[in-house]
């Protein structure tokens, strides 16, 4: 099965209605066993990483990228974890053109916004020629980045190269003017650079028990991660 068909099948398995937008964070948390996702700032040229063992799956997402891009990266890493053999650790960058990366990108794009959903959106909103306002409305609905949205419209030949270039700029200002939340186009705010879902605490304790990390490192991870509440509750026992 190709990566697009895999994404369509997974949407069905996860109970996402055909044209509905997908809240990717809560979906992965509810549907993938033993998954831990960590959001934290990384170098600009890395979008995310993933790793799996017999017991655990871990995904890292770069919070220095926009929220739209982070949603895409999460869906992209799911492809590696669910459908590929992951030896050790995969690092996904913004400029990697391997077949595996292309498959993961196609998968992510379809998981968040299948072609059928785009056809539905176009017809529901009676769109003949896509305006920037239509584009913003659609990307906000599916919570995908402006870049992803433009690429999809270009691939469907619904916009041409000139429009693609013209629609690229001033997106935050335009979305703001139309009354949309502009967080989709921005990197995580300072107080949300670190967050996690899943098994971080158990994995940290396991690494500490197996002497893979020091007590200091364990404290640092729990402090940053991301889970201040846990650290402070048990702060006396940590050193
Ligand atoms: Zn990748």
């Amino acid at each position: 099965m190709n990566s697009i068909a895999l994404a369509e099948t997974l949407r069905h398995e996860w109970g996402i209605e055909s044209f509905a937008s997908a809240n990717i964070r809560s979906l992965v948390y509810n549907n993938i066993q033993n998954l831990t996702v960590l959001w934290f700032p990384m170098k600009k040229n890395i979008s995310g990483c993933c790793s799996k063992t017999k017991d655990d799956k871990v995904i890292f997402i770069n919070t220095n990228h926009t929220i739209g891009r982070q949603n895409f990266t999460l869906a992209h890493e799911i492809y590696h974890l669910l459908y590929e053999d992951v030896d050790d650790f995969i690092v996904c960058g913004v400029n990697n053109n391997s077949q595996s990366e292309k498959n993961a990108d196609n998968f992510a794009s379809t998981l968040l916004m299948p072609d059928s959903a785009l056809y539905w959106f176009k017809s529901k909103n009676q769109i003949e020629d896509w305006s920037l306002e239509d584009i913003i409305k659609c990307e906000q609905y599916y919570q995908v980045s402006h870049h992803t949205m433009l690429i999809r419209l270009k691939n469907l030949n619904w916009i041409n190269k000139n429009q693609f270039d013209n629609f690229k700029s001033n997106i935050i200002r335009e979305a703001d003017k139309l009354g949309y939340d502009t967080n989709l186009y921005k990197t995580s705010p300072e107080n949300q650079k670190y967050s996690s879902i899943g098994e971080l605490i158990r994995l940290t304790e396991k690494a500490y028990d197996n002497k893979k990390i020091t007590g200091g490192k364990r404290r640092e991870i729990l402090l940053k991660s991301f889970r201040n509440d846990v650290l402070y509750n048990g702060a006396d026992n940590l050193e």
Side-chain angles (χ1 to χ4, degrees):
M1 215 188 290
N2 70 31
S3 56
I4 289 172
L6 285 171
E8 283 168 350
T9 306
L10 192 66
R11 279 180 66 94
H12 182 73
E13 280 173 14
W14 283 0
I16 310 166
E17 287 188 26
S18 305
F19 312 134
S21 69
N23 181 335
I24 191 73
R25 289 193 188 208
S26 69
L27 279 167
V28 298
Y29 188 53
N30 285 310
N31 288 292
I32 304 179
Q33 299 264 302
N34 300 323
L35 174 72
T36 298
V37 185
L38 300 180
W39 285 265
F40 62 95
M42 298 179 224
K43 287 190 286 189
K44 269 282 183 191
N45 62 344
I46 296 174
S47 46
C49 322
C50 66
S51 176
K52 71 176 167 186
T53 64
K54 187 165 62 63
D55 301 319
D56 291 296
K57 301 180 183 72
V58 185
I59 292 174
F60 305 94
I61 307 284
N62 188 355
T63 51
N64 283 334
H65 285 184
T66 65
I67 300 291
R69 176 77 204 182
Q70 291 177 40
N71 291 341
F72 187 89
T73 300
L74 182 51
H76 171 114
E77 300 303 328
I78 288 166
Y79 176 81
H80 292 310
L81 286 183
L82 295 186
Y83 306 109
E84 292 188 322
D85 292 326
V86 178
D87 298 327
D88 200 22
F89 203 70
I90 295 182
V91 179
C92 301
V94 281
N95 291 319
N96 187 333
N97 285 320
S98 71
Q99 190 57 49
S100 158
E101 285 299 277
K102 282 182 198 151
N103 291 345
D105 279 349
N106 287 334
F107 173 87
S109 197
T110 300
L111 187 67
L112 297 171
M113 188 173 64
D115 273 355
S116 56
L118 276 166
Y119 277 96
W120 168 79
F121 189 91
K122 182 172 183 281
S123 143
K124 183 177 160 57
N125 292 282
Q126 298 172 339
I127 299 168
E128 295 290 336
D129 291 312
W130 287 77
S131 66
L132 186 56
E133 187 174 345
D134 296 326
I135 293 171
I136 291 171
K137 185 176 180 183
C138 190
E139 69 205 16
Q140 286 282 340
Y141 184 71
Y142 289 103
Q143 287 289 293
V144 297
S145 71
H146 188 56
H147 183 69
T148 297
M149 185 70 209
L150 291 181
I151 287 179
R152 291 293 293 279
L153 294 180
K154 176 82 176 46
N155 287 345
L156 286 162
N157 284 322
W158 288 351
I159 58 170
N160 61 34
K161 175 80 171 66
N162 273 347
Q163 290 171 302
F164 182 93
D165 292 336
N166 290 338
F167 286 143
K168 262 198 262 186
S169 43
N170 293 328
I171 188 62
I172 292 179
R173 203 183 65 199
E174 291 299 325
D176 193 40
K177 239 173 20 189
L178 293 166
Y180 289 101
D181 184 341
T182 55
N183 284 336
L184 186 64
Y185 313 108
K186 295 175 180 167
T187 64
S188 302
E190 279 313 312
N191 63 351
Q192 288 166 31
K193 287 283 189 207
Y194 295 87
S195 66
S196 71
I197 53 175
E199 308 272 333
L200 178 69
I201 295 161
R202 183 178 61 73
L203 292 177
T204 306
E205 299 299 348
K206 190 171 151 190
Y208 177 68
D209 290 344
N210 293 336
K211 301 198 169 26
K212 293 263 169 54
I213 55 171
T214 62
K217 191 69 186 170
R218 172 189 181 215
R219 181 184 170 81
E220 186 192 323
I221 292 170
L222 293 179
L223 250 180
K224 266 194 176 158
S225 66
F226 317 91
R227 287 299 301 269
N228 292 348
D229 52 330
V230 176
L231 185 67
Y232 293 131
N233 286 339
D236 295 345
N237 306 322
L238 278 172
E239 284 164 338

